[in-house]
Amino acid sequence: MDDKLREQLKFCRLPGIVECYDDILREARDNSWNHEQFFSNLVEYEVIMRENNRFNRLFKQAKFPNLKTIEQFNFSEAPFLSKTEVIELFSCKFIDQNTNVLFLGSPGTGKSHLLISIGIEACRQGKTVGFFTAAGLCNQLIEMQEEQQLLKFLKKINKLDLLLIDELGFVELSNQATQLMFQIFSERYEKGSIFLTSNLEFAEWAKVFHDERMTAAIIDRLIHNSKIMLFNGSSHRLLDQQKKTKKAQ
């Protein structure tokens, strides 16, 4: 590639073509591609590079605690789940429909794994995603309120295509935290998807939020236009540990 063409491609913001041009030109000559085939492959590489860059940016912004994929999930250890229903969530149609997804059930049954892997797939499809534990989100909300940055933080949350809230129920929330969480649920009501996991049934949520009326209002907003899946099985972590113990004996 000559310098003039390189500068023109950079000016047009086509870094993928700049990067692959010489290799694809060589391949085109070796395989006698016509001009259309040559151009098509250049554009394809540019699109792939942009998609990868977009995914990396969205993945970083989401702040996932770790990387989880559906391929790593063992459905044989989760007979209580419908594999078809779970796989359907990876289409991310529920996000476009502003539908909430609630995973409720015992700890260690795969709720967080699927939450993260679906969130990662949403990033791959170009959706903006934010991951929080329930306790972590409450702490940030309180911190932002004390620093008079709450409105700015809430606007950021509300702009997300998908809000992931993991582990609701492990920590009881203060009255202040409950009111702030209610604000998030209210402002995203029918406007944006919330994907939430909890180790508690709805009847026990008052233990977390303390205020029964507030709890009822939160549940009402979450379950309207929602997909609820129950994880009523044994802990995967416990089963794995039992397998390791048996092997060691």
Side-chain angles (χ1 to χ4, degrees):
M1 181 191 301
D2 61 43
D3 292 339
K4 181 179 179 180
L5 177 57
R6 184 182 301 276
E7 290 305 314
Q8 288 173 330
L9 289 171
K10 287 182 178 180
F11 179 79
C12 293
R13 298 181 180 179
L14 296 169
I17 292 180
V18 172
E19 181 177 306
C20 75
Y21 186 88
D22 290 336
D23 290 338
I24 289 183
L25 179 61
R26 189 179 306 110
E27 189 173 355
R29 287 170 174 167
D30 291 344
N31 295 283
S32 301
W33 289 351
N34 59 34
H35 291 91
E36 184 176 352
Q37 289 174 308
F38 173 59
F39 183 70
S40 176
N41 278 274
L42 286 176
V43 173
E44 181 180 5
Y45 191 92
E46 178 69 35
V47 170
I48 291 172
M49 183 175 180
R50 290 192 181 201
E51 287 179 341
N52 288 339
N53 289 341
R54 180 187 65 181
F55 170 73
N56 291 332
R57 174 175 53 81
L58 293 173
F59 179 85
K60 184 178 180 180
Q61 289 176 353
K63 297 182 179 179
F64 296 106
N66 45 49
L67 178 63
K68 296 289 185 181
T69 67
I70 187 62
E71 290 76 19
Q72 297 169 331
F73 190 82
N74 189 347
F75 279 96
S76 66
E77 294 182 352
F80 46 84
L81 289 177
S82 165
K83 184 176 181 178
T84 301
E85 291 183 10
V86 171
I87 296 301
E88 173 61 24
L89 292 174
F90 282 83
S91 71
C92 295
K93 292 179 181 177
F94 71 93
I95 300 175
D96 298 325
Q97 298 164 351
N98 295 328
T99 299
N100 296 327
V101 179
L102 310 178
F103 283 176
L104 310 179
S106 308
T109 49
K111 299 187 300 298
S112 297
H113 183 129
L114 291 175
L115 172 99
I116 293 170
S117 57
I118 292 169
I120 291 173
E121 177 59 27
C123 290
R124 191 167 283 111
Q125 295 186 24
K127 309 293 186 183
T128 54
V129 180
F131 174 93
F132 301 88
T133 62
L137 178 56
C138 288
N139 289 337
Q140 284 198 49
L141 286 167
I142 292 172
E143 182 179 336
M144 291 297 101
Q145 188 176 55
E146 292 174 349
E147 295 179 359
Q148 298 184 346
Q149 295 291 319
L150 181 61
L151 183 59
K152 181 179 179 181
F153 183 68
L154 289 175
K155 285 182 178 179
K156 179 181 177 182
I157 293 293
N158 289 331
K159 286 181 179 179
L160 295 172
D161 294 317
L162 178 61
L163 173 61
L164 305 176
I165 303 177
D166 198 21
E167 299 181 343
L168 179 70
F170 284 92
V171 177
E172 294 184 6
L173 307 181
S174 65
N175 291 333
Q176 181 185 9
T178 295
Q179 291 172 7
L180 292 170
M181 287 286 277
F182 175 74
Q183 191 169 344
I184 283 182
F185 296 140
S186 294
E187 292 187 6
R188 287 188 68 86
Y189 180 57
E190 296 188 317
K191 297 177 183 176
S193 292
I194 294 175
F195 196 147
L196 180 148
T197 74
S198 177
N199 62 314
L200 301 178
E201 298 178 358
F202 290 131
E204 301 176 283
W205 280 26
K207 298 177 182 177
V208 178
F209 297 112
H210 302 292
D211 187 314
E212 291 189 6
R213 291 180 62 184
M214 188 76 75
T215 302
I218 288 172
I219 293 174
D220 182 66
R221 282 160 176 75
L222 284 174
I223 66 175
H224 182 255
N225 189 31
S226 69
K227 173 77 174 177
I228 301 173
M229 300 183 73
L230 302 180
F231 288 63
N232 296 322
S234 301
S235 167
H236 293 173
R237 290 186 287 271
L238 178 59
L239 292 173
D240 288 343
Q241 185 58 43
Q242 289 174 342
K243 290 178 182 178
K244 291 178 183 178
T245 301
K246 287 181 180 179
K247 288 182 179 180
Q249 290 176 346

